[in-house]
mmCIF file of all heavy atoms in Angstrom:
data_model
loop_
_atom_site.group_PDB
_atom_site.id
_atom_site.type_symbol
_atom_site.label_atom_id
_atom_site.label_comp_id
_atom_site.label_asym_id
_atom_site.label_seq_id
_atom_site.Cartn_x
_atom_site.Cartn_y
_atom_site.Cartn_z
ATOM 1 N N MET D 1 -15.141 -8.324 -1.153
ATOM 2 C CA MET D 1 -13.836 -8.805 -0.692
ATOM 3 C C MET D 1 -13.288 -7.802 0.264
ATOM 4 O O MET D 1 -13.401 -6.558 0.089
ATOM 5 C CB MET D 1 -12.908 -8.927 -1.879
ATOM 6 C CG MET D 1 -11.568 -9.494 -1.533
ATOM 7 S SD MET D 1 -11.564 -11.228 -1.014
ATOM 8 C CE MET D 1 -12.069 -12.052 -2.450
ATOM 9 N N ILE D 2 -12.720 -8.230 1.348
ATOM 10 C CA ILE D 2 -12.106 -7.459 2.402
ATOM 11 C C ILE D 2 -10.661 -7.563 2.470
ATOM 12 O O ILE D 2 -10.102 -8.693 2.409
ATOM 13 C CB ILE D 2 -12.740 -7.826 3.785
ATOM 14 C CG1 ILE D 2 -14.290 -7.857 3.759
ATOM 15 C CG2 ILE D 2 -12.258 -6.896 4.887
ATOM 16 C CD1 ILE D 2 -14.908 -6.612 3.365
ATOM 17 N N ALA D 3 -9.931 -6.437 2.526
ATOM 18 C CA ALA D 3 -8.473 -6.433 2.673
ATOM 19 C C ALA D 3 -8.066 -6.076 4.040
ATOM 20 O O ALA D 3 -8.654 -5.180 4.634
ATOM 21 C CB ALA D 3 -7.930 -5.397 1.647
ATOM 22 N N LYS D 4 -7.117 -6.870 4.643
ATOM 23 C CA LYS D 4 -6.547 -6.517 5.918
ATOM 24 C C LYS D 4 -5.382 -5.596 5.649
ATOM 25 O O LYS D 4 -4.505 -5.996 4.952
ATOM 26 C CB LYS D 4 -6.154 -7.743 6.674
ATOM 27 C CG LYS D 4 -7.322 -8.613 7.121
ATOM 28 C CD LYS D 4 -6.931 -9.733 7.959
ATOM 29 C CE LYS D 4 -6.373 -9.347 9.313
ATOM 30 N NZ LYS D 4 -7.308 -8.758 10.246
ATOM 31 N N ILE D 5 -5.345 -4.343 6.257
ATOM 32 C CA ILE D 5 -4.436 -3.353 5.971
ATOM 33 C C ILE D 5 -3.703 -2.937 7.201
ATOM 34 O O ILE D 5 -4.279 -2.771 8.268
ATOM 35 C CB ILE D 5 -5.052 -2.169 5.308
ATOM 36 C CG1 ILE D 5 -5.986 -2.496 4.182
ATOM 37 C CG2 ILE D 5 -4.010 -1.088 4.957
ATOM 38 C CD1 ILE D 5 -5.289 -2.962 2.916
ATOM 39 N N VAL D 6 -2.385 -2.733 7.148
ATOM 40 C CA VAL D 6 -1.541 -2.174 8.261
ATOM 41 C C VAL D 6 -0.946 -0.912 7.696
ATOM 42 O O VAL D 6 -0.728 -0.732 6.512
ATOM 43 C CB VAL D 6 -0.494 -3.144 8.742
ATOM 44 C CG1 VAL D 6 -1.100 -4.352 9.470
ATOM 45 C CG2 VAL D 6 0.508 -3.644 7.712
ATOM 46 N N PHE D 7 -0.553 -0.018 8.682
ATOM 47 C CA PHE D 7 -0.051 1.304 8.322
ATOM 48 C C PHE D 7 1.283 1.521 9.027
ATOM 49 O O PHE D 7 1.556 0.923 10.024
ATOM 50 C CB PHE D 7 -1.032 2.401 8.762
ATOM 51 C CG PHE D 7 -2.361 2.257 8.092
ATOM 52 C CD1 PHE D 7 -3.407 1.658 8.677
ATOM 53 C CD2 PHE D 7 -2.495 2.741 6.792
ATOM 54 C CE1 PHE D 7 -4.631 1.542 8.014
ATOM 55 C CE2 PHE D 7 -3.696 2.611 6.097
ATOM 56 C CZ PHE D 7 -4.819 2.038 6.767
ATOM 57 N N ASN D 8 2.043 2.404 8.519
ATOM 58 C CA ASN D 8 3.386 2.759 9.080
ATOM 59 C C ASN D 8 3.131 3.676 10.274
ATOM 60 O O ASN D 8 3.478 4.850 10.280
ATOM 61 C CB ASN D 8 4.239 3.450 8.037
ATOM 62 C CG ASN D 8 5.648 3.735 8.557
ATOM 63 O OD1 ASN D 8 6.046 3.251 9.616
ATOM 64 N ND2 ASN D 8 6.405 4.531 7.768
ATOM 65 N N LEU D 9 2.423 3.124 11.276
ATOM 66 C CA LEU D 9 2.028 3.826 12.501
ATOM 67 C C LEU D 9 2.321 2.838 13.683
ATOM 68 O O LEU D 9 2.203 1.640 13.495
ATOM 69 C CB LEU D 9 0.581 4.225 12.461
ATOM 70 C CG LEU D 9 0.122 5.229 11.387
ATOM 71 C CD1 LEU D 9 -1.393 5.299 11.313
ATOM 72 C CD2 LEU D 9 0.741 6.533 11.651
ATOM 73 N N PRO D 10 2.581 3.347 14.852
ATOM 74 C CA PRO D 10 2.749 2.493 16.016
ATOM 75 C C PRO D 10 1.413 1.923 16.534
ATOM 76 O O PRO D 10 1.041 2.103 17.658
ATOM 77 C CB PRO D 10 3.414 3.363 17.047
ATOM 78 C CG PRO D 10 2.893 4.746 16.659
ATOM 79 C CD PRO D 10 2.701 4.790 15.152
ATOM 80 N N LEU D 11 0.713 1.233 15.667
ATOM 81 C CA LEU D 11 -0.564 0.586 16.032
ATOM 82 C C LEU D 11 -0.454 -0.907 15.806
ATOM 83 O O LEU D 11 -0.043 -1.396 14.722
ATOM 84 C CB LEU D 11 -1.728 1.096 15.113
ATOM 85 C CG LEU D 11 -1.982 2.562 15.200
ATOM 86 C CD1 LEU D 11 -3.020 3.008 14.130
ATOM 87 C CD2 LEU D 11 -2.501 3.036 16.569
ATOM 88 N N ASP D 12 -0.764 -1.713 16.843
ATOM 89 C CA ASP D 12 -0.491 -3.105 16.840
ATOM 90 C C ASP D 12 -1.715 -3.854 16.350
ATOM 91 O O ASP D 12 -2.203 -4.837 17.002
ATOM 92 C CB ASP D 12 -0.081 -3.556 18.196
ATOM 93 C CG ASP D 12 0.580 -4.956 18.176
ATOM 94 O OD1 ASP D 12 1.090 -5.305 17.078
ATOM 95 O OD2 ASP D 12 0.626 -5.640 19.174
ATOM 96 N N ARG D 13 -2.290 -3.496 15.165
ATOM 97 C CA ARG D 13 -3.428 -4.225 14.596
ATOM 98 C C ARG D 13 -3.633 -3.890 13.164
ATOM 99 O O ARG D 13 -3.035 -2.904 12.640
ATOM 100 C CB ARG D 13 -4.717 -3.925 15.407
ATOM 101 C CG ARG D 13 -5.171 -2.428 15.289
ATOM 102 C CD ARG D 13 -6.470 -2.215 15.885
ATOM 103 N NE ARG D 13 -7.480 -2.837 15.079
ATOM 104 C CZ ARG D 13 -8.616 -2.217 14.722
ATOM 105 N NH1 ARG D 13 -8.890 -1.015 15.195
ATOM 106 N NH2 ARG D 13 -9.499 -2.799 13.903
ATOM 107 N N ALA D 14 -4.300 -4.717 12.473
ATOM 108 C CA ALA D 14 -4.724 -4.498 11.040
ATOM 109 C C ALA D 14 -6.102 -4.008 10.985
ATOM 110 O O ALA D 14 -6.883 -4.210 11.916
ATOM 111 C CB ALA D 14 -4.537 -5.813 10.300
ATOM 112 N N PHE D 15 -6.434 -3.332 9.938
ATOM 113 C CA PHE D 15 -7.793 -2.761 9.747
ATOM 114 C C PHE D 15 -8.442 -3.364 8.496
ATOM 115 O O PHE D 15 -7.745 -3.604 7.513
ATOM 116 C CB PHE D 15 -7.667 -1.213 9.590
ATOM 117 C CG PHE D 15 -7.134 -0.554 10.878
ATOM 118 C CD1 PHE D 15 -5.794 -0.472 11.034
ATOM 119 C CD2 PHE D 15 -8.035 -0.070 11.825
ATOM 120 C CE1 PHE D 15 -5.302 0.125 12.217
ATOM 121 C CE2 PHE D 15 -7.537 0.539 12.961
ATOM 122 C CZ PHE D 15 -6.176 0.641 13.139
ATOM 123 N N ASP D 16 -9.702 -3.545 8.510
ATOM 124 C CA ASP D 16 -10.420 -4.094 7.380
ATOM 125 C C ASP D 16 -10.933 -2.963 6.473
ATOM 126 O O ASP D 16 -11.506 -1.949 6.970
ATOM 127 C CB ASP D 16 -11.709 -4.906 7.899
ATOM 128 C CG ASP D 16 -11.316 -6.230 8.559
ATOM 129 O OD1 ASP D 16 -10.116 -6.538 8.470
ATOM 130 O OD2 ASP D 16 -12.196 -6.844 9.076
ATOM 131 N N TYR D 17 -10.784 -3.154 5.205
ATOM 132 C CA TYR D 17 -11.239 -2.175 4.178
ATOM 133 C C TYR D 17 -11.954 -2.960 3.069
ATOM 134 O O TYR D 17 -11.492 -4.092 2.711
ATOM 135 C CB TYR D 17 -10.065 -1.410 3.536
ATOM 136 C CG TYR D 17 -9.626 -0.278 4.479
ATOM 137 C CD1 TYR D 17 -8.685 -0.539 5.523
ATOM 138 C CD2 TYR D 17 -10.122 1.013 4.407
ATOM 139 C CE1 TYR D 17 -8.265 0.459 6.404
ATOM 140 C CE2 TYR D 17 -9.754 2.087 5.329
ATOM 141 C CZ TYR D 17 -8.813 1.740 6.195
ATOM 142 O OH TYR D 17 -8.417 2.728 7.077
ATOM 143 N N LEU D 18 -12.927 -2.382 2.480
ATOM 144 C CA LEU D 18 -13.663 -2.927 1.437
ATOM 145 C C LEU D 18 -12.873 -2.733 0.178
ATOM 146 O O LEU D 18 -12.429 -1.620 -0.218
ATOM 147 C CB LEU D 18 -15.098 -2.330 1.326
ATOM 148 C CG LEU D 18 -15.984 -2.869 0.184
ATOM 149 C CD1 LEU D 18 -16.343 -4.323 0.524
ATOM 150 C CD2 LEU D 18 -17.243 -1.986 0.181
ATOM 151 N N VAL D 19 -12.678 -3.815 -0.642
ATOM 152 C CA VAL D 19 -12.004 -3.731 -1.954
ATOM 153 C C VAL D 19 -13.088 -3.448 -2.994
ATOM 154 O O VAL D 19 -14.031 -4.229 -3.120
ATOM 155 C CB VAL D 19 -11.283 -5.072 -2.296
ATOM 156 C CG1 VAL D 19 -10.665 -4.953 -3.661
ATOM 157 C CG2 VAL D 19 -10.277 -5.338 -1.215
ATOM 158 N N PRO D 20 -13.015 -2.328 -3.732
ATOM 159 C CA PRO D 20 -13.984 -2.025 -4.802
ATOM 160 C C PRO D 20 -14.063 -3.223 -5.772
ATOM 161 O O PRO D 20 -13.104 -3.900 -6.070
ATOM 162 C CB PRO D 20 -13.496 -0.811 -5.445
ATOM 163 C CG PRO D 20 -12.666 -0.131 -4.406
ATOM 164 C CD PRO D 20 -11.979 -1.283 -3.637
ATOM 165 N N GLU D 21 -15.307 -3.473 -6.255
ATOM 166 C CA GLU D 21 -15.564 -4.604 -7.144
ATOM 167 C C GLU D 21 -14.560 -4.633 -8.330
ATOM 168 O O GLU D 21 -14.149 -5.700 -8.725
ATOM 169 C CB GLU D 21 -16.987 -4.483 -7.652
ATOM 170 C CG GLU D 21 -17.588 -5.769 -8.227
ATOM 171 C CD GLU D 21 -17.591 -6.897 -7.169
ATOM 172 O OE1 GLU D 21 -17.939 -6.677 -5.976
ATOM 173 O OE2 GLU D 21 -17.301 -8.038 -7.501
ATOM 174 N N ALA D 22 -14.226 -3.484 -8.825
ATOM 175 C CA ALA D 22 -13.334 -3.441 -9.995
ATOM 176 C C ALA D 22 -11.918 -3.898 -9.716
ATOM 177 O O ALA D 22 -11.156 -4.223 -10.619
ATOM 178 C CB ALA D 22 -13.232 -1.980 -10.591
ATOM 179 N N TRP D 23 -11.555 -3.897 -8.449
ATOM 180 C CA TRP D 23 -10.175 -4.322 -8.019
ATOM 181 C C TRP D 23 -10.074 -5.722 -7.419
ATOM 182 O O TRP D 23 -8.993 -6.151 -7.011
ATOM 183 C CB TRP D 23 -9.611 -3.307 -7.025
ATOM 184 C CG TRP D 23 -9.528 -1.942 -7.572
ATOM 185 C CD1 TRP D 23 -9.539 -1.508 -8.874
ATOM 186 C CD2 TRP D 23 -9.378 -0.753 -6.817
ATOM 187 N NE1 TRP D 23 -9.416 -0.164 -8.973
ATOM 188 C CE2 TRP D 23 -9.336 0.325 -7.707
ATOM 189 C CE3 TRP D 23 -9.266 -0.506 -5.434
ATOM 190 C CZ2 TRP D 23 -9.208 1.666 -7.319
ATOM 191 C CZ3 TRP D 23 -9.186 0.816 -5.039
ATOM 192 C CH2 TRP D 23 -9.107 1.892 -5.972
ATOM 193 N N VAL D 24 -11.214 -6.403 -7.266
ATOM 194 C CA VAL D 24 -11.214 -7.691 -6.538
ATOM 195 C C VAL D 24 -10.147 -8.654 -7.066
ATOM 196 O O VAL D 24 -9.492 -9.372 -6.347
ATOM 197 C CB VAL D 24 -12.638 -8.244 -6.512
ATOM 198 C CG1 VAL D 24 -12.595 -9.752 -6.049
ATOM 199 C CG2 VAL D 24 -13.548 -7.445 -5.657
ATOM 200 N N THR D 25 -9.989 -8.698 -8.355
ATOM 201 C CA THR D 25 -9.064 -9.721 -8.960
ATOM 202 C C THR D 25 -7.644 -9.095 -8.996
ATOM 203 O O THR D 25 -6.728 -9.940 -9.236
ATOM 204 C CB THR D 25 -9.494 -10.102 -10.357
ATOM 205 O OG1 THR D 25 -9.547 -8.924 -11.208
ATOM 206 C CG2 THR D 25 -10.814 -10.781 -10.342
ATOM 207 N N ARG D 26 -7.418 -7.855 -8.714
ATOM 208 C CA ARG D 26 -6.143 -7.273 -8.854
ATOM 209 C C ARG D 26 -5.410 -7.114 -7.502
ATOM 210 O O ARG D 26 -4.218 -7.274 -7.398
ATOM 211 C CB ARG D 26 -6.250 -5.903 -9.519
ATOM 212 C CG ARG D 26 -4.876 -5.329 -9.861
ATOM 213 C CD ARG D 26 -5.035 -4.136 -10.693
ATOM 214 N NE ARG D 26 -5.730 -3.039 -10.051
ATOM 215 C CZ ARG D 26 -6.437 -2.130 -10.740
ATOM 216 N NH1 ARG D 26 -6.536 -2.210 -12.016
ATOM 217 N NH2 ARG D 26 -7.051 -1.196 -10.103
ATOM 218 N N VAL D 27 -6.142 -6.771 -6.426
ATOM 219 C CA VAL D 27 -5.511 -6.536 -5.163
ATOM 220 C C VAL D 27 -4.992 -7.820 -4.544
ATOM 221 O O VAL D 27 -5.664 -8.883 -4.550
ATOM 222 C CB VAL D 27 -6.567 -5.842 -4.119
ATOM 223 C CG1 VAL D 27 -5.950 -5.779 -2.762
ATOM 224 C CG2 VAL D 27 -6.924 -4.550 -4.677
ATOM 225 N N GLN D 28 -3.710 -7.793 -4.087
ATOM 226 C CA GLN D 28 -3.062 -8.973 -3.580
ATOM 227 C C GLN D 28 -2.269 -8.556 -2.332
ATOM 228 O O GLN D 28 -1.921 -7.452 -2.150
ATOM 229 C CB GLN D 28 -2.091 -9.591 -4.593
ATOM 230 C CG GLN D 28 -2.650 -9.950 -5.914
ATOM 231 C CD GLN D 28 -1.548 -10.268 -6.847
ATOM 232 O OE1 GLN D 28 -0.667 -11.068 -6.516
ATOM 233 N NE2 GLN D 28 -1.651 -9.754 -8.121
ATOM 234 N N PRO D 29 -2.025 -9.581 -1.411
ATOM 235 C CA PRO D 29 -1.187 -9.348 -0.313
ATOM 236 C C PRO D 29 0.196 -8.784 -0.789
ATOM 237 O O PRO D 29 0.743 -9.254 -1.777
ATOM 238 C CB PRO D 29 -1.042 -10.679 0.364
ATOM 239 C CG PRO D 29 -2.306 -11.419 0.002
ATOM 240 C CD PRO D 29 -2.575 -10.951 -1.467
ATOM 241 N N GLY D 30 0.769 -7.806 -0.004
ATOM 242 C CA GLY D 30 2.019 -7.248 -0.324
ATOM 243 C C GLY D 30 1.926 -5.949 -1.157
ATOM 244 O O GLY D 30 2.877 -5.264 -1.298
#
Side-chain angles (χ1 to χ4, degrees):
M1 185 67 63
I2 308 302
K4 291 187 67 67
I5 310 290
V6 292
F7 300 97
N8 186 10
L9 297 170
L11 300 172
D12 199 22
R13 64 173 288 227
F15 296 85
D16 290 352
Y17 283 86
L18 183 64
V19 177
E21 200 61 39
W23 299 341
V24 167
T25 60
R26 188 170 63 210
V27 174
Q28 301 173 46

